Amino acid sequence: MTGSVEGASGDTGTDTDAESSPRAKRAVVAKRVDAGTADLSEISQLAAAAGYEVVGELSQTRTEDAAFMFGEGKVAELGALVRRTGAGAVIVDNDLGPYQTFNIGGELPDGVEVIDRFTLILEIFGQRANTRKAQLQVELAELRYELPRAEAKASLAKRDERPGFMGLGEYDESVERDIKRQISEIQAELDSIAEKEQARRDQRRDSGFDLVALAGYTNAGKSTLMRRLAAEIDVDENVDRHPDLDRTAESEDMLFTTLGTTTRRAEMEKRDVLLTDTVGFIADLPHWLVESFESTLDSVYHADLVLLVVDASEPVESMREKLVTSHDTLYERNEAPIVTVFNKIDRLAPGELAAKRGALSGVAPDPVAVSAKTGAGLAELRDRVEAELPDWERERLVLPVSDDAMSLVSWIHDHGHVDEEAYANDQVTVDFEAKPSIVARARSKAADIAATGSPTEST
Ligand SMILES: Nc1nc2c(ncn2[C@@H]2O[C@H](COP(=O)(O)OP(=O)(O)OP(=O)(O)O)[C@@H](O)[C@H]2O)c(=O)[nH]1
Ligand SMILES: [Mg+2]
């Protein structure tokens, strides 16, 4: 099926008159789908996030053309649209093969760049990578993108025993080897960063903290919710400093505003919770990109509880798709319980929330509805977090009053929740709740005190 899907008159190219951006930053977005109607909203948002001004749109419903991705007539139309709008780039929301990129470029005015969804995402990440880790991940993704291309060129050159075949030039095996060596070096450095982060998580758990991670599709409102739930003090040791650390920062309505990881102490009734905000999910990422950014999500995969945030102001079908993408991302590696959070309820019409809850009960059982903007539902969310976190154990220790005992009591205050602390007959009785590991450590400290002094009783 060949056909246009845009414009009432069958004219599939639309252009907006905009001459404000420099040419290189003016882009036409294009997308092909096998069936149905192509939705250009996400690719347009991604383009905007990378700093492009979208000056034209073009879409087509037909099977993939091997040479051009689109039908040839459509490519000619694309060329005309680019000329008319003075765009400097064409952004295609399909996975373009190297030849397709080359062929489309050949039909466009000189100097017009052809960018696909993945290189666009990489461009955004490259612009925003402001930590060592993020920079390494971007570099890794670029190399992984490059590798199969270099391999293909090297094997072509080898087969034909003509190193310069088809202008392959220096793309020989040494290029391929060099890319592989760089990949393993970067991987090693990322692994060592990941180890340090794991050690930091262990240390935080040992201090009695529960680790809660915010996850969800990009732009769902994770960072806004984080700022709402967080206490004043930052706990990050500046390792991943990025703009979201700024409490006064306004969240932008833009995809991938958050790339690094921020951890803050959350205000809860009982439990000491550290809340971590990180990069959002997006659908249809190729494996080389996902793999490169895998450790970005370690804080999610290793959390005690995951808050899966969804923008509830979107149409039900789009919410469903994004929930499925999010669950797919979490599925293989996440072990923690998941609480779904329907955010942005301030934007819903009366009755809409109940309808969406019903329609999405299969993918989002029992969601908590909130507005990170107005603060609605946050008390309920805090209660839910405390209820869903792995259970604490109860313990009662009776110790002879001594300096050691007093320091143990204060350690218990720091690491758990003391329900009662009573003094009688030179003895102190502490009734408390804490994580099982904390209770175990308190018991063994109490046993040590007992061994060195007066009797200790533990029930
Ligand atoms: N109306 C309304 N807007 C909200 C709410 N929560 C967040 N937003 C807006 O949604 C947009 C995205 O919010 P962020 O908090 O940056 O979203 P995010 O999930 O961190 O996005 P990424 O970091 O890009 O993955 C911003 O424009 C926010 O102001 C809400 O409860 N209601
Ligand atoms: Mg964010």
Side-chain angles (χ1 to χ4, degrees):
M1 178 172 71
T2 309
S4 58
V5 289
E6 228 160 71
S9 60
D11 175 10
T12 60
T14 52
D15 54 311
T16 52
D17 40 18
E19 293 291 326
S20 43
S21 310
R23 176 165 178 253
K25 279 296 177 187
R26 281 205 302 274
V28 167
V29 293
K31 178 173 188 161
R32 184 198 62 78
V33 286
D34 289 335
T37 308
D39 180 358
L40 287 152
S41 57
E42 187 171 272
I43 194 70
S44 302
Q45 281 180 286
L46 285 169
Y52 290 96
E53 180 183 0
V54 176
V55 294
E57 294 181 344
L58 184 135
S59 60
Q60 185 172 38
T61 305
R62 63 156 280 165
T63 51
E64 177 173 350
D65 179 87
F68 287 99
M69 174 60 68
F70 301 89
E72 260 180 85
K74 189 57 74 171
V75 178
E77 228 180 277
L78 182 63
L81 183 59
V82 166
R83 279 180 200 94
R84 200 161 70 237
T85 55
V90 167
I91 298 172
V92 180
D93 197 12
N94 298 90
D95 183 8
L96 292 179
Y99 293 105
Q100 289 171 326
T101 306
F102 179 81
N103 291 340
I104 294 175
E107 301 299 309
L108 302 175
D110 276 352
V112 174
E113 225 190 323
V114 180
I115 299 165
D116 66 13
R117 178 183 177 87
F118 314 134
T119 35
L120 180 64
I121 290 174
L122 206 49
E123 194 174 323
I124 299 169
F125 283 20
Q127 288 168 4
R128 314 238 169 115
N130 53 6
T131 63
R132 176 77 184 148
K133 181 174 170 181
Q135 281 156 1
L136 287 170
Q137 288 172 324
V138 169
E139 252 177 81
L140 184 62
E142 282 165 355
L143 289 165
R144 281 191 167 136
Y145 179 79
E146 203 54 52
L147 183 62
R149 286 163 175 77
E151 276 169 352
K153 285 172 181 166
S155 77
L156 257 184
K158 206 165 161 187
R159 193 190 63 198
D160 290 277
E161 289 178 292
R162 278 183 295 169
F165 174 68
M166 272 170 58
L168 295 171
E170 75 272 33
Y171 268 110
D172 56 17
E173 279 171 80
S174 78
V175 172
E176 190 190 331
R177 266 200 309 276
D178 196 45
I179 292 177
K180 284 184 175 161
R181 181 186 49 76
Q182 288 184 59
I183 286 178
S184 67
E185 281 171 11
I186 292 177
Q187 193 65 68
E189 191 174 343
L190 281 172
D191 285 350
S192 98
I193 294 176
E195 270 172 39
K196 283 190 198 115
E197 289 176 347
Q198 182 60 44
R200 191 151 50 131
R201 275 190 295 273
D202 290 345
Q203 191 199 337
R204 286 170 170 174
R205 280 206 177 86
D206 284 351
S207 311
F209 285 106
D210 289 301
L211 308 184
V212 175
L214 289 158
Y217 213 84
T218 179
N219 212 44
K222 300 178 293 298
S223 300
T224 312
L225 189 58
M226 163 92 160
R227 281 194 285 275
R228 272 282 179 184
L229 293 171
E232 287 294 328
I233 317 136
D234 294 330
V235 297
D236 257 350
E237 295 78 23
N238 279 347
V239 181
D240 294 304
R241 180 157 283 281
H242 68 97
D244 283 351
L245 277 172
D246 182 1
R247 277 183 69 84
T248 58
E250 268 293 304
S251 288
E252 279 182 275
D253 196 6
M254 203 180 243
L255 303 188
F256 294 119
T257 6
T258 307
L259 272 197
T261 306
T262 317
T263 298
R264 292 252 185 81
R265 208 170 158 149
E267 309 234 41
M268 297 282 160
E269 285 273 306
K270 268 189 170 180
R271 313 278 287 241
D272 280 327
V273 167
L274 289 183
L275 198 59
T276 298
D277 176 31
T278 186
V279 65
F281 306 149
I282 195 160
D284 304 330
L285 287 186
H287 71 96
W288 54 266
L289 193 52
V290 174
E291 279 161 22
S292 305
F293 287 89
E294 218 168 19
S295 67
T296 305
L297 295 174
D298 275 353
S299 55
V300 174
Y301 298 137
H302 299 289
D304 298 310
L305 179 73
V306 174
L307 295 180
L308 178 52
V309 186
V310 199
D311 180 348
S313 70
E314 298 199 335
V316 154
E317 277 326 303
S318 152
M319 286 176 74
R320 187 193 311 281
E321 277 170 33
K322 291 179 178 182
L323 276 161
V324 168
T325 299
S326 303
H327 280 292
D328 285 350
T329 310
L330 290 170
Y331 174 71
E332 272 185 40
R333 295 181 50 188
N334 175 64
E335 284 163 16
I338 296 172
V339 171
T340 310
V341 180
F342 280 5
N343 187 33
K344 310 196 190 181
I345 55 164
D346 55 287
R347 287 192 179 168
L348 301 190
E352 202 178 332
L353 180 60
K356 285 178 169 171
R357 268 182 201 274
L360 296 168
S361 61
V363 270
D366 202 13
V368 184
V370 304
S371 166
K373 190 176 175 183
T374 67
L378 291 185
E380 193 195 335
L381 179 58
R382 286 194 168 94
D383 288 347
R384 242 329 245 296
V385 168
E386 294 204 311
E388 300 274 348
L389 278 170
D391 279 343
W392 272 7
E393 261 178 50
R394 264 205 108 73
E395 177 64 301
R396 161 190 252 219
L397 295 175
V398 182
L399 300 156
V401 174
S402 68
D403 287 350
D404 285 349
M406 292 333 293
S407 68
L408 173 55
V409 170
S410 92
W411 185 87
I412 292 171
H413 273 284
D414 287 346
H415 293 81
H417 180 78
V418 174
D419 292 318
E420 203 192 335
E421 181 184 336
Y423 295 85
N425 308 325
D426 290 336
Q427 284 191 320
V428 52
T429 305
V430 239
D431 236 314
F432 68 99
E433 284 174 279
K435 292 175 135 188
S437 61
I438 296 293
V439 170
R441 277 170 63 192
R443 276 195 202 121
S444 98
K445 282 172 192 259
D448 286 348
I449 294 170
T452 56
S454 345
T456 301
E457 183 195 321
S458 157
T459 53

